[in-house]
Amino acid sequence: MTQLPLPYYNDDPNSFAYPTVHKRWPTIIEGCIKDMKNELESDPKLENSGSDIITKLQDLLVSFKNDEEVKPFDDAAIKLNPSLARYNESLVELNKTKKVTWLTGPWLNLECYLYQAINQYFISSEESYWHDFDIFENLKNQTFQQSELGALELCKRYEVLTTQLSKSLEKDTLKLLFSEFIDISLWGNATDLSLLAGNVTLEDIQSVQGEANRKKNEENILVNDLSEAWEYLLKSEAKEKRLDIVLDNSGFELFADLIFSLFALDSGLVSEIHLHCKQIPWFVSDVMPKDFSILLKQLIDPKFYGSISNKENLRAISAVQERITNYHKSDKIVIKSHPFWTLDDKYWTIPKFDDLYKDLLASNLVIFKGDLNYRKLTGDVQWDPTTPFTTSIQELATSKLPVLSLRTCKADVVVGLPKGLNEELIEKYKSMSNEKGEFWSSSGKWAVISFSDGRN
Ligand code: F6P
Ligand code: MG
């Protein structure tokens, strides 16, 4: 392997790491403390064990503020969650370059470490109630509720699609539909709860849901390798094709991914879809297997809806719900989770994880949703923005895994841009009254669709 560029560090004021660490992380943890206090009110028996967790969260906040050294997980923690041993190995490696502290260490590793540390507080409690408690669940549910209009629009679109698909379609029409539903799934990623800890309002989030807005945002897709991915998928002679999606966020994004999945199955493009979830609460809003079941229940719960709860709307929504449920029951939609997705590993180490690698090799296309997946694909290092995607993903480009990344840009790293475009966007973002033009790539307003067939 050639020498990699340096990672993004938390003390770099020109990196989006800086505001993330100084503002978002504390806000997220303060939110957890507040939600814990509410939870304790609901059951006095939880008082002692819950206060214990609150103290740990408060200590974590203090260790940020004091820029303390990030400590390895102890044996008891590793016993409860063996993946943490891998974090300790990576800490040993990182400490060789410089002592890893909260406010100066590498952004990606520490952000992953943070969510593992929070999870540890819950799973190590003597009170079993907390062991599979998801501190972000209320937030996930609330935000999906506020996306009801967006979700309804997708259900109505699906109704029309059903009639379109009842006729046999030309290849070109199918390609257009593929591109439309990929777009739905891509922009679904702009609804990210962890952004709520910054200065993005709910109105901002709703403004990326809906057809009109997706059309408007079309020109903000800076790299678009979708045609290559489409050709690759069609080229395969396999009669039964399998598509995998490494999911990102719950709620509206998951719903958008499921609408895309329905399209891919109903059109006969693929015969199976495997959805990869996280095993622990992750980056606030990421999908855990139970979030899939929760979403299916919410969709048919009339109490869940506000302004749109008339009969006709509810019928359109429950038709979609039924379809997803049936595919799930017949194993055409398969829900999976693997501890790899909550490690701090770059994705080019996937081939070292035998079981996961073998499983993914059976797929005809692996879609990686969202920003964090993109950061892990490209290693979250300071690539020149004109670096080809296939260079940035290192060994993954020759791993035989066909990779398609759908990402709205919410962090620094970006690759595959034509020469000069980054500079143009820096100027443009500045002219939009933003102090740091470089933060265009963290604003969530632009997107990239990048593909590698894994056979470089
Ligand atoms: O930018 C803040 C942040 O928490 C990033 O660290 C992370 O990559 C992103 O938000 C999460 O976005 P997504 O849900 O698209 O992966
Ligand atoms: Mg996420």
Side-chain angles (χ1 to χ4, degrees), residues 140 185-186 188-195 245-255 257 275-278 280 282-289 291 341 347 367-375 406-408 410:
K140 290 180 192 177
S185 165
L186 166 72
N189 178 251
T191 311
D192 174 30
L193 294 184
S194 65
L195 283 172
I245 309 181
V246 181
L247 294 172
D248 188 359
N249 302 311
S250 305
F252 185 77
E253 179 171 0
L254 172 61
F255 189 62
D257 296 337
L275 301 176
H276 300 265
C277 306
K278 309 295 188 307
I280 64 166
W282 192 244
F283 282 68
V284 183
S285 44
D286 280 26
V287 184
M288 296 168 68
D291 295 318
W341 305 120
Y347 285 167
I367 296 182
F368 289 84
K369 290 294 316 286
D371 190 75
L372 178 62
N373 277 328
Y374 185 87
R375 289 170 67 195
L406 305 181
R407 179 236 191 170
T408 63
K410 302 176 199 159

Side-chain angles (χ1 to χ4, degrees), residues 218-287:
E218 197 74 28
E219 64 192 41
N220 290 359
I221 303 177
L222 304 171
V223 173
N224 197 341
D225 297 341
L226 193 61
S227 290
E228 288 170 45
W230 167 255
E231 293 305 331
Y232 180 86
L233 192 60
L234 283 203
K235 199 172 71 190
S236 155
E237 276 157 20
K239 257 217 328 273
E240 307 268 276
K241 289 182 194 158
R242 169 177 147 186
L243 180 83
D244 284 54
I245 309 181
V246 181
L247 294 172
D248 188 359
N249 302 311
S250 305
F252 185 77
E253 179 171 0
L254 172 61
F255 189 62
D257 296 337
L258 289 169
I259 290 283
F260 166 72
S261 302
L262 282 187
F263 158 73
L265 289 164
D266 284 344
S267 63
L269 206 55
V270 299
S271 54
E272 252 177 67
I273 303 215
H274 292 216
L275 301 176
H276 300 265
C277 306
K278 309 295 188 307
Q279 290 186 341
I280 64 166
W282 192 244
F283 282 68
V284 183
S285 44
D286 280 26
V287 184

Side-chain angles (χ1 to χ4, degrees), residues 415-430:
V415 295
L417 298 190
K419 207 164 176 273
L421 183 56
N422 181 44
E423 292 72 13
E424 240 176 70
L425 289 164
I426 292 176
E427 284 314 310
K428 180 166 182 172
Y429 197 59
K430 251 199 236 154

